Amino acid sequence: MNFSFNENVFTESVSLRTSAISNLDDARAQDVLSKAKAIVFALWNGEGWATVDQLANYFEYSIQGIKHIYERNSKEFRTHETKKLTGKELTDARSKLELPSRTSQARVFSPLGTLRIAMLLSESEIAAQVRTIILDLVASVPKVTMQSEPIPTPAPALPPVEQRLHTLVQSMKTLAELTGGRLNPYMEQQMKDFAANLLAEHNRKMLTPSEEKWLGVVNFVESELGRNVPTSGPHYRGHLGTWVRTFYPQLGDRQETRIVQGTQQKIYVYACHDPVVAAGLTKAVEEFFNHPEPAAALKQAGAFKKAVVTA
């Protein structure tokens, strides 16, 4: 069955916007934007950023309109998509971003943030072109060719063991009520044997190791990458967990209670059995240990504004 979409699907769905962006980085996002119209992001702190004025010029839209689009959807933007510059950050970035000297604060957007603006902005021809390009990227995923042979019908599956045990217990209660508690000895033995077989099947499944591997980022580094994570210093383990959650939120947000340094704590765990997640964690770890001052980068990204439990 074929479904026909147009670029307007992005303006209507938060999940589609985030899904499309999650598969891109800033370099790829800038490439998408440049296909619709030339755009240059000023390099500041090793990353490309554009001001609201630049976005208004690019999308051929009003400055106030761009601000309104952001304010109405601000919760949708992730930390690496936009930034509010004030104080020292504003002073450092003023000349590179060509901000007026009278500006006391400025909102800037990364290429990914600009891409999100494009997917929200319904009254711009340039934004519509950008959405079409993104849609083409999504549609370029290879399609599965249908075979002429009939699709085999899956074999009927029994309900889960827990459900069958529950049904058995309810049936026994009903029989006991109907017979006044006097079951035929043969029937009673059959019931016991059936229950014993169900419990044996349940226990066998419980003892079978799971193919899933959920690890905290420190466990992942030490068990999968064979590298020790220090408990102190500029690259200590607490900042490593915060680094992953701040710069790679797309890797997941599942939490579990586990023993950490002798006490039970809520930590973030990741689906390390998923090659995409494992590759993302590996990249995040490499960037963390290669950064000379990860704490400063995290502070600049606003990672310490809310109290969080690190993994």
Side-chain angles (χ1 to χ4, degrees), residues 260-274:
V260 179
Q261 297 180 344
T263 61
Q264 284 195 328
Q265 298 181 27
K266 278 276 191 180
I267 71 166
Y268 287 85
V269 293
Y270 301 91
C272 298
H273 51 276
D274 185 336

Side-chain angles (χ1 to χ4, degrees), residues 64 130 158 201 203 248 275 282:
Q64 194 57 41
V130 172
L158 289 171
E201 181 183 346
N203 291 335
Y248 290 83
T282 302

Side-chain angles (χ1 to χ4, degrees), residues 84 298-308:
K84 181 180 179 181
L298 288 169
K299 183 178 180 180
Q300 187 176 37
F304 304 127
K305 291 181 179 179
K306 293 182 180 179
V308 293

Side-chain angles (χ1 to χ4, degrees), residues 13-275:
S13 171
V14 176
S15 60
L16 284 178
R17 290 193 290 271
T18 299
S19 175
I21 289 180
S22 64
N23 295 319
L24 302 173
D25 55 18
D26 275 334
R28 193 78 185 278
Q30 186 167 353
D31 182 54
V32 170
L33 292 163
S34 297
K35 287 181 179 179
K37 183 180 177 181
I39 183 170
V40 176
F41 290 85
L43 193 63
W44 174 65
N45 273 4
E47 299 175 330
W49 298 96
T51 63
V52 173
D53 291 32
Q54 286 177 278
L55 264 58
N57 181 62
Y58 174 79
F59 289 115
E60 299 174 7
Y61 202 67
S62 69
I63 293 174
Q64 194 57 41
I66 298 293
K67 290 180 179 179
H68 179 68
I69 285 289
Y70 169 73
E71 290 167 0
R72 192 173 59 188
N73 303 277
S74 59
K75 293 182 180 179
E76 186 177 327
F77 287 75
R78 296 172 293 182
T79 54
H80 57 285
E81 293 178 16
T82 185
K83 184 186 291 289
K84 181 180 179 181
L85 301 179
T86 58
K88 187 177 183 300
E89 283 189 335
L90 180 62
T91 302
D92 293 342
R94 192 183 300 279
S95 61
K96 293 182 179 179
L97 298 179
E98 298 182 355
L99 297 169
S101 58
R102 66 181 182 278
T103 305
S104 60
Q105 62 181 36
R107 170 70 55 184
V108 293
F109 294 85
S110 68
L112 282 173
T114 305
L115 214 57
R116 194 180 290 275
I117 289 287
M119 288 193 282
L120 288 163
L121 192 54
S122 60
E123 299 175 2
S124 164
E125 181 60 33
I126 300 299
Q129 292 179 35
V130 172
R131 292 194 295 273
T132 299
I133 294 169
I134 298 172
L135 193 62
D136 289 342
L137 287 176
V138 174
S140 66
V141 177
K143 296 179 180 178
V144 178
T145 303
M146 300 299 292
Q147 302 296 324
S148 57
E149 296 124 3
I151 300 175
T153 303
L158 289 171
V161 174
E162 295 85 349
Q163 183 178 337
R164 283 183 279 162
L165 276 171
H166 177 73
T167 302
L168 175 63
V169 170
Q170 295 302 317
S171 300
M172 292 180 69
K173 286 182 178 179
T174 302
L175 281 172
E177 291 172 358
L178 292 174
T179 61
R182 296 184 297 275
L183 287 178
N184 180 291
Y186 177 77
M187 182 181 293
E188 184 175 350
Q189 186 60 48
Q190 288 286 91
M191 289 286 191
K192 289 180 179 178
D193 291 344
F194 185 67
N197 289 333
L198 282 177
L199 287 171
E201 181 183 346
H202 175 70
N203 291 335
R204 187 167 54 252
K205 288 184 177 180
M206 291 295 290
L207 291 172
T208 303
S210 171
E211 295 182 359
E212 294 188 352
K213 186 186 292 184
W214 292 87
L215 299 174
V217 63
V218 173
N219 289 355
F220 172 79
V221 174
E222 295 184 338
S223 65
E224 303 299 308
L225 303 183
R227 179 169 188 169
N228 290 327
V229 183
T231 56
S232 61
H235 295 89
Y236 97 104
R237 56 182 59 200
H239 281 171
L240 173 57
T242 306
W243 184 278
V244 173
R245 293 194 302 281
T246 301
F247 299 114
Y248 290 83
Q250 71 274 16
L251 296 180
D253 58 1
R254 174 171 169 174
Q255 286 184 288
E256 291 182 0
T257 301
R258 296 192 178 183
I259 297 293
V260 179
Q261 297 180 344
T263 61
Q264 284 195 328
Q265 298 181 27
K266 278 276 191 180
I267 71 166
Y268 287 85
V269 293
Y270 301 91
C272 298
H273 51 276
D274 185 336

